[in-house]
Amino acid sequence: MCTVIVGFDPDADTPLVVAAIRDEMRDRPWDGPGRHWEDRPFVGGRDRRAGGTWLAVDPARSRACALLNGWPWDGRMPWEGTYPASRGELPLRALERPARDPLHGEDPTLYAPFHLLDAGAHHAHLYSWDGRCLDSRQLGAGVSILVNTGLDPADPRAVRHTPEFARTRPDPARLADAHGVEEVWGQWPELITRAARDTPRSAGLDETGDPTGLIAHADLPDGQVWATGSVTLLAVDRDTVRYAFTDAPADPGAWRTIDL
């Protein structure tokens, strides 16, 4: 995951709304949202190569965890070096533990740098590992945009998009009775579609991209492509989780609701 937009307000009718944008190499195989783990009652997309996920939901406890790749403390590129464990296991392992301590017993040195969002109707916490220090913080009420540098208000995406997502933050009064994408998430799907039709963010290899872009695309050497592959929408109240997904964010008709 490269961008996660979090609308958290414990006093709202729908305390948590999320738009999670996944950027990945196009040739990396994956499966769409489902119950892919027989021993775990969670729903999420699955990375076929490592078996983990970038986002998982526990419908029974109205709780979700989302993973972003982080940047090392010493400025190396995030993909440099080898690590014994896959970060994609972290959302699943975190959901197996209490929300008050989702990384209990974990050895962060086994993983490449990461940011892990653990959120529900009553909490929204961000855990960040940079290869040297593990930091945790509670997200305040409002809309926050998480990127590969974590909770970084100075990031160009955050500067550009936080005000508009905050202004249009959806808050369905009765989430259990709301089902359509627009009925649950209001204008947020439209904002995603608009971003997908705008100039994309590049991988930083040239100056053709827009660093404020929510949607990514970069043509790399040897015909490889790094790009936004999917977007997930979540809405969570104290009893209900709503989940929508698209692998074609430029098409407003491509959203589908995931049965939990």
Side-chain angles (χ1 to χ4, degrees), residues 9-209:
D9 182 352
D11 296 324
D13 289 317
T14 300
L16 178 69
V17 286
V18 172
I21 301 167
R22 183 182 187 235
D23 306 334
E24 186 54 87
M25 301 300 294
R26 278 273 172 86
D27 62 355
R28 186 168 182 128
W30 56 278
D31 297 306
R35 296 182 181 272
H36 298 295
W37 304 276
E38 293 183 0
D39 58 338
R40 290 159 162 164
F42 309 141
V43 178
R46 180 178 63 176
D47 172 44
R48 292 183 189 173
R49 185 175 298 174
T53 186
W54 55 96
L55 181 148
V57 171
D58 182 351
R61 293 189 292 165
S62 294
R63 184 177 163 204
C65 285
L67 178 76
L68 298 91
N69 293 347
W71 286 88
W73 67 274
D74 58 5
R76 291 177 298 123
M77 291 293 99
W79 50 83
E80 292 180 357
T82 58
Y83 301 88
S86 168
R87 289 173 291 196
E89 269 290 305
L90 285 169
L92 303 172
R93 294 170 67 89
L95 285 175
E96 292 176 323
R97 301 186 176 102
R100 64 179 179 274
D101 195 3
L103 295 179
H104 176 74
E106 288 290 347
D107 178 359
T109 64
L110 299 177
Y111 301 95
F114 65 82
H115 304 283
L116 180 72
L117 171 70
D118 185 320
H122 303 287
H123 74 288
H125 287 93
L126 182 67
Y127 300 85
S128 298
W129 167 249
D130 66 1
R132 183 171 63 174
C133 297
L134 180 63
D135 175 66
S136 66
R137 64 177 68 188
Q138 180 174 336
L139 299 186
V143 169
S144 304
I145 294 185
L146 310 178
V147 295
N148 296 116
T149 48
L151 182 60
D152 184 359
D155 180 88
R157 280 166 284 172
V159 171
R160 175 182 173 184
H161 296 284
T162 300
E164 190 164 24
F165 276 86
R167 179 180 61 80
T168 59
R169 192 257 200 232
D171 186 22
R174 283 280 299 164
L175 190 56
D177 299 331
H179 297 283
V181 171
E182 291 184 358
E183 187 178 354
V184 177
W185 290 279
Q187 296 182 48
W188 277 24
E190 179 184 345
L191 296 181
I192 296 295
T193 298
R194 190 186 309 166
R197 295 174 177 177
D198 205 346
T199 303
R201 191 176 75 262
S202 74
L205 302 179
D206 54 49
E207 298 180 357
T208 61

